[in-house]
Amino acid sequence: QVQLVESGGGLVQSGGSLRLSCAGSGFPFSHFRMSWFRQAPGKERELVATISSTDGHTTYVDSVKGRFTISRDNAKNTAYLQMSSLKPEDTATYYCNAVPSAGYYGGPYWGKGTQVTVSS
């Protein structure tokens, strides 16, 4: 059974930090590209950051560059999103996503999300 389970969300003041975790199981985690998306009330889901399965290449949406860092630990089947200098506009439900790399199949897989609320 495939699972992606996010954790680490919560309420934080503006300027604070949080680290989100995404634990994967039931699929070959190290061969999947991992991403974090977020969705605020009344808005579309937005891609925040991605990390490749091969060389660890990362990409970020412009609004989080320099503040967020995506990483992964394949030995633990876990992806992370370190969020710093948080702003009220970062408030959203954050979702983990897994997409297979070339030569692998399955997915895309989604977690159920973790809420991040940044107070001003």
Side-chain angles (χ1 to χ4, degrees):
Q1 180 183 1
V2 171
Q3 279 192 312
L4 284 176
V5 180
E6 301 97 335
S7 61
L11 174 63
V12 63
Q13 288 188 336
S14 181
S17 299
L18 283 174
R19 188 176 83 153
L20 306 184
S21 298
C22 170
S25 60
F27 65 98
F29 183 90
S30 63
H31 297 290
F32 276 61
R33 184 179 77 235
M34 300 301 297
S35 299
W36 287 94
F37 287 73
R38 66 185 179 186
Q39 188 167 21
K43 295 188 176 182
E44 293 187 355
R45 191 169 293 192
E46 172 187 46
L47 175 61
V48 176
T50 294
I51 184 166
S52 72
S53 64
T54 52
D55 58 4
H57 179 68
T58 59
T59 60
Y60 299 91
V61 66
D62 285 347
S63 60
V64 308
K65 285 181 180 177
R67 300 189 298 121
F68 289 13
T69 301
I70 188 171
S71 62
R72 64 190 298 159
D73 184 339
N74 289 336
K76 295 182 178 180
N77 286 358
T78 301
Y80 304 96
L81 186 67
Q82 177 68 48
M83 306 186 294
S84 302
S85 302
L86 282 162
K87 305 175 182 180
E89 50 264 44
D90 295 318
T91 295
T93 301
Y94 284 70
Y95 298 92
C96 182
N97 166 268
V99 174
S101 300
Y104 291 84
Y105 302 92
Y109 304 125
W110 290 92
K112 294 183 178 180
T114 185
Q115 178 66 38
V116 171
T117 304
V118 184
S119 63
S120 57

